[in-house]
DNA sequence: GATCATAATGAAAGCGTTTTCAGTTCAAGA
DNA sequence: TCTTGAACTGAAAACGCTTTCATTATGATC
């Protein structure tokens, strides 16, 4: 905590009142060039810088945005691969506008707890909130924010009533594109290894998978639609199950790249070839998709765009609150690589 | 920004002075049970919660720790794989002690800029600083922090004079262990594909590589000691160069897992086998090391431990400043997998 | 019953700003 | 010379809390 000079010190040195100094600092009109210069000299001389706290006390604003990162419980390292790009782009955008960022990480269980957000916001005086979550944002959370009249944006999910400004990815569309791509290559028997379906995006991917099959008139099999944790082990284990029974899928759509990598291990281990015997596709376009053999067809989410957009919308809301609520669904790009090329 | 009741409101309702209410809230002694109960009733009734800003203004403390994340420029996604575990463990530790965390990300160039930290700390009133960096922390940064008497800890590097409390990893020791492991398997001709040597840990890995070779009486070759960016492409490209000339290495030590994955690609592509023809080892134990074929021998850094330790040391420094400065070097664990087993 | 320590309380100063309101200065117009 | 209004400036009141210091109530001790 710096101590340094105060307004009063500057005022004394410049031979003016604190009010005038304040005016100079905040660039208000009606200060004569002479006094302005004198004050600025004094500021430099004393190496003065305003006390943010005192300023906040009177203005009622802190210049701080709270970034709440809601996570799986226990934490799944693979989610980091898209969390940090988001944090990064949000950070850069907000910094450029002179906002400070305070982060809070919590499990989705904590976040759903009735008192959590309340306690957090009571302890922390922020001007806006950005919620990064893969879970539905519960009603009481929304109402807590609304009653505080605190501008906020939800990134990665939404609330039950679509009352919040939120940004999501078109998971269903992406999966549909993957299925179409695989069908065009002649595949008929599809398997799906998903992540935890309590995560909104994993659920969307599952739904997208099922409805795409239906749309294209392809059969679905209960035993080829499985879920687990979002990791290599799940992919490996479930793929082994797939391979042990009938029908055997010729194309497997996975909830993320790690799962897909696990599935590939199981396939290769069995002496089968990818994609000749079985095609595999992942999701997220992490580095994993580029180092497995063969390289993995996957989906690239517009993370940077999403982060910046979230920050932008929050800024908009901050400057003119209570405008029309909106939901934005960002399209994703499918990246076709060897694992699905026939 | 919540408005809500103030101390004065509570005092009025409870029929006491604000001083007494303050005492109750802060758990000071010398408040009779009767008045204490009355005050607490009033607090509940008004749903009062203290204004953090006002409190900070008078106490001079904010309860906020600044976490400065210094990054490669431009940003290298693979570094995220160890940044977020660190952030996570630091966050969890500090939260448990009721601290809030403000993050600032910047490139190492920005961070080295004379005015950067100054401007940052002037704008932001924090109680302590945690610097996560892979670059030497310059003297003027240290002196800025020292003159402000701001407790701080450096995680991942140090300053030229070892004046700061800092935590590092035993990169050299880890590389030495890898080289020993490979030598024991009979390898004689070693190659190294490192990351940017301006990064402290990459430089330490290089130095560790060279001194281990020397220690074990193994020859070094200029043309087999290369660097590049910390990514798959570098590994691929440099390995191709290695394979195109003489002598050809039988063991390649890489600066991180991504580089190693690239090297493996180049080797396999050439029709050579891993580890029979060439052994490859990486660093960081990311998910990449588990999905390449064969699985990659690598080094696991004690990230969680490092994060918690950093937070702990900062707390120590906060409670009793100016104790003996210390430098902690954490040992790393080598994880032996198929890519190096003969 | 007088004395004295101790516990309990309140008044008020202060933390470093912003902002309102009133006052002063000064040039221009009458 | 007198008015008038605009431009400039300062005094003082907030903002919501903590903390010191003085004061009063409460027992305990002689």
């Amino acid at each position: 905590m710096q101590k340094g000079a105060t307004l009063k010190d500057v005022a004394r040195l410049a031979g003016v009142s604190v009010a005038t100094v304040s005016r100079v600092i905040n660039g208000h009109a009606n200060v004569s060039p002479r006094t302005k210069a004198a004050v600025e000299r004094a500021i430099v001389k004393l190496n003065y810088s305003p006390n943010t706290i005192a300023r906040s006390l009177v203005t009622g604003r802190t210049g701080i945005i709270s970034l709440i990162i809601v996570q799986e419980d226990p934490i799944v390292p693979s989610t980091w691969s898209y969390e940090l790009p988001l944090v990064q782009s949000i950070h850069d955008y907000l910094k450029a506008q002179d906002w400070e960022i305070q982060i809070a990480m919590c499990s989705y269980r904590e976040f759903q707890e009735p008192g959590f957000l309340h306690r957090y916001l009571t302890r922390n005086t922020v001007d806006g909130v950005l919620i990064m979550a893969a879970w539905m944002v519960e009603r009481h959370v929304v109402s807590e924010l609304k009653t505080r009249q605190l501008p906020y944006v939800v990134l990665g999910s939404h609330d039950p009533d679509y009352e919040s400004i939120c940004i999501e990815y078109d998971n269903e569309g992406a999966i549909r594109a993957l299925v179409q791509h695989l069908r065009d290559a002649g595949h008929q028997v599809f398997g799906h290894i998903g992540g935890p379906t309590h995560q909104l995006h994993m659920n969307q991917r599952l739904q997208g998978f099922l409805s795409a099959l239906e749309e294209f008139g392809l059969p679905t099999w209960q035993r080829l639609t499985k879920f687990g944790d979002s990791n290599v082990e799940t992919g490996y284990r479930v793929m082994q199950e797939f391979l042990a029974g009938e029908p055997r899928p010729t194309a497997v759509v996975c909830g993320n790249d790690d799962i897909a990598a696990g599935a590939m291990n199981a396939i290769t281990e069995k002496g089968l070839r990818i994609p000749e015997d079985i095609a595999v596709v992942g999701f997220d376009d992490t580095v994993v998709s580029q180092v497995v053999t063969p390289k993995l067809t996957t989906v690239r989410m517009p993370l940077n765009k999403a982060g910046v957009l979230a920050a932008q919308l929050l800024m908009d809301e901050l400057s003119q609150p209570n405008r029309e609520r909106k939901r934005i669904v960002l399209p994703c790009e499918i990246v076709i690589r060897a694992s699905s090329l026939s």
Side-chain angles (χ1 to χ4, degrees), chain A residues 72-208:
Chain A
E72 181 68 288
D73 179 20
I75 289 158
V76 180
S78 73
T79 58
W80 289 333
S81 66
Y82 58 81
E83 280 173 359
L84 246 181
L86 288 176
V87 174
Q88 183 83 53
S89 53
I90 292 166
H91 174 276
D92 291 351
Y93 187 87
L94 292 180
K95 277 284 165 175
Q97 319 225 3
D98 263 358
W99 290 88
E100 296 301 326
I101 298 162
Q102 184 172 301
I103 64 168
M105 297 169 140
C106 60
S107 72
Y108 73 96
R109 288 180 209 281
E110 278 180 286
F111 189 67
Q112 285 171 347
E113 239 167 63
F116 178 82
L117 191 65
H118 181 79
R119 277 197 307 277
Y120 177 77
L121 293 177
T122 298
R123 275 186 50 86
N124 295 93
T125 342
V126 298
D127 292 348
V129 176
L130 215 155
I131 300 171
M132 266 175 61
W135 293 265
M136 194 79 88
V137 175
E138 310 228 340
R139 288 199 178 83
H140 70 263
V141 170
V142 172
S143 82
E144 174 84 34
L145 290 159
K146 296 255 185 209
T147 55
R148 285 183 195 257
Q149 307 213 45
L150 202 51
Y152 73 101
V153 167
V154 177
L155 174 50
S157 71
H158 56 254
D159 63 84
D161 311 313
Y162 295 103
E163 283 195 349
S164 316
I165 296 176
C166 63
I167 298 167
E168 294 185 79
Y169 309 99
D170 185 12
N171 286 296
E172 308 203 8
I175 288 282
R176 183 188 173 285
L178 285 177
V179 169
Q180 185 170 26
H181 160 67
L182 290 165
R183 185 214 48 180
D184 291 349
H187 291 279
Q188 295 281 331
V189 185
F190 283 74
H192 178 72
I193 312 177
T197 49
H198 65 118
Q199 290 179 9
L200 208 56
H201 58 276
M202 285 303 180
N203 196 41
Q204 288 168 348
R205 290 170 196 181
L206 168 62
Q207 296 309 327

Side-chain angles (χ1 to χ4, degrees), chain A residues 147-294:
Chain A
T147 55
R148 285 183 195 257
Q149 307 213 45
L150 202 51
Y152 73 101
V153 167
V154 177
L155 174 50
S157 71
H158 56 254
D159 63 84
D161 311 313
Y162 295 103
E163 283 195 349
S164 316
I165 296 176
C166 63
I167 298 167
E168 294 185 79
Y169 309 99
D170 185 12
N171 286 296
E172 308 203 8
I175 288 282
R176 183 188 173 285
L178 285 177
V179 169
Q180 185 170 26
H181 160 67
L182 290 165
R183 185 214 48 180
D184 291 349
H187 291 279
Q188 295 281 331
V189 185
F190 283 74
H192 178 72
I193 312 177
T197 49
H198 65 118
Q199 290 179 9
L200 208 56
H201 58 276
M202 285 303 180
N203 196 41
Q204 288 168 348
R205 290 170 196 181
L206 168 62
Q207 296 309 327
F209 173 74
L210 293 175
S211 57
L213 287 191
E214 187 174 345
E215 178 185 344
F216 294 120
L218 297 163
T220 60
W221 279 274
Q222 188 82 36
R223 69 168 286 276
L224 294 183
T225 309
K226 299 282 183 185
F227 336 100
D229 294 335
S230 296
N231 56 26
V232 179
E233 290 71 38
T234 294
Y236 183 75
R237 182 177 46 72
V238 175
M239 192 67 220
Q240 282 185 324
E241 290 170 26
F242 284 3
L243 294 176
E246 286 298 329
R248 174 187 285 181
T250 67
V252 178
V253 176
C254 301
N256 75 359
D257 289 346
D258 285 9
I259 295 175
M264 290 175 76
N265 277 348
I267 294 170
T268 318
E269 200 176 275
K270 205 73 169 183
L272 297 168
R273 291 160 309 161
I274 303 167
E276 292 81 357
D277 299 315
I278 302 181
V280 178
V281 300
F283 215 111
D284 291 348
D285 191 37
T286 61
V287 61
V288 166
S289 67
Q290 307 194 44
V291 300
V292 290
T293 319

